[in-house]
Amino acid sequence: MASSFPVRRVSAIIARRPPRIISTTRRLNSSSSVQTQNPAYPLYPSVQLLLHEKGIPESEVSKIPASGPKGRLLKGDVLAYIGAIPAEYPSSQASRIEKLSHLDLSNIKIAAPPKPAETKAPIVEEPIARPPPTVSVAVSIPLATVLSVQKNIKETIGVTVPLSTFLARATDLANDDLPRSPRTKPSADELFDEILGAKPIKTSRGDYVPELNALEAAEYQPAQPVKGDIIDILSGKAPKKAPRAAFAEQYPAGSAANVFSLTVPVGDETRARVFLDRVKTLLTVEPGRLVL
């Protein structure tokens, strides 16, 4: 009789047979005290797939102990129910996760209170160094001799030497070997030389530049020739050339004297006075030596 069924029909009948249900002898007996799947929540998709693969009907889901959060069934519960893993494994893992979910602060120690800050001594501000008081030293120097030399050079060689050249060279020469300022302290080399018997240095070069408050006369400029009118020349009425005025008339001295002044610290009046006296001597005695 078995030979009357074709092979194809036998395979189709086998394929339509329902999946084999695992014997209940391998399942754990559940008691009423064990928590099962909470009916308020649906099964996880992974749990539904596992139940289908293992052939567990939905009627037995309520018999499987649930160890998930809020009484939900987990895959481990299903595996423990069919004996694939130890029965106590899901509950032990649940308790372990519950324990690890709380932060253990037992090894944290309370820090000691901070030590009071040490009182520091008040910072004393250094006084700001103020410049020493100053005093003005002035001397009147006539420039008539300088202007005369300037005129002679122009007429002799045809070169106009600016008045500033005379003043600059006189200033440079007057700064040599001035009396030493009382505020200047001797250097270590000078003190050592004095110990060896050398004479103390009493002079030094200055760096003074005097201020000129008023010029006595402008620089020499040659007189411009006067051009006659062509009509006066043709009619014979051309004016005669006026005689050349003297240099003193072309450059009259101003009523105010030329004042050379210096502003120096208090105590350097003698040094400044010597400098201005030298400038006066160079500009009034032989100013031609400054440019020749």
Side-chain angles (χ1 to χ4, degrees), residues 35-219:
Q35 183 180 4
T36 58
Q37 168 66 22
N38 190 347
Y41 298 97
L43 294 173
Y44 289 115
S46 59
V47 175
Q48 291 181 352
L49 178 61
L50 182 61
L51 292 174
H52 178 72
E53 290 177 352
K54 300 302 181 181
I56 301 175
E58 294 182 2
S59 59
E60 293 190 15
V61 172
S62 59
K63 301 178 182 180
I64 303 175
S67 61
K70 298 182 180 181
R72 303 190 70 174
L73 193 65
L74 303 178
K75 291 178 63 176
D77 299 330
V78 178
L79 295 176
Y81 180 73
I82 62 177
I85 59 175
E88 66 277 2
Y89 183 79
S91 58
S92 62
Q93 288 297 319
S95 60
R96 177 175 175 272
I97 294 173
E98 179 69 18
K99 181 179 180 181
L100 294 177
S101 63
H102 298 284
L103 184 62
D104 184 12
L105 303 179
S106 59
N107 58 346
I108 296 179
K109 298 180 180 179
I110 300 176
K115 296 181 180 179
E118 298 180 358
T119 56
K120 297 182 180 180
I123 300 175
V124 180
E125 297 183 358
E126 297 181 358
I128 300 175
R130 297 181 179 180
T134 58
V135 63
S136 180
V137 180
V139 65
S140 177
I141 302 176
L143 298 178
T145 307
V146 176
L147 296 176
S148 178
V149 172
Q150 185 187 47
K151 172 179 174 290
N152 293 335
I153 294 174
K154 174 64 178 179
E155 293 178 349
T156 303
I157 61 178
V159 177
T160 301
V161 180
L163 182 60
S164 58
T165 302
F166 289 91
L167 300 179
R169 295 186 179 180
T171 300
D172 182 66
L173 293 175
N175 273 308
D176 289 336
D177 297 331
L178 292 175
R180 195 160 190 172
S181 173
R183 300 182 302 106
T184 304
K185 297 181 180 180
S187 62
D189 294 338
E190 294 174 355
L191 294 175
F192 182 75
D193 293 340
E194 291 181 11
I195 294 175
L196 297 179
K199 295 182 179 180
I201 299 175
K202 297 182 179 180
T203 60
S204 63
R205 178 171 175 79
D207 54 356
Y208 293 138
V209 177
E211 296 180 1
L212 182 57
N213 297 336
L215 285 176
E216 183 176 351
E219 296 181 1

Side-chain angles (χ1 to χ4, degrees), residues 218-238:
E219 296 181 1
Y220 170 74
Q221 297 292 340
Q224 299 294 332
V226 179
K227 295 182 180 180
D229 191 354
I230 187 63
I231 297 177
D232 294 338
I233 295 175
L234 294 176
S235 61
K237 297 180 180 180

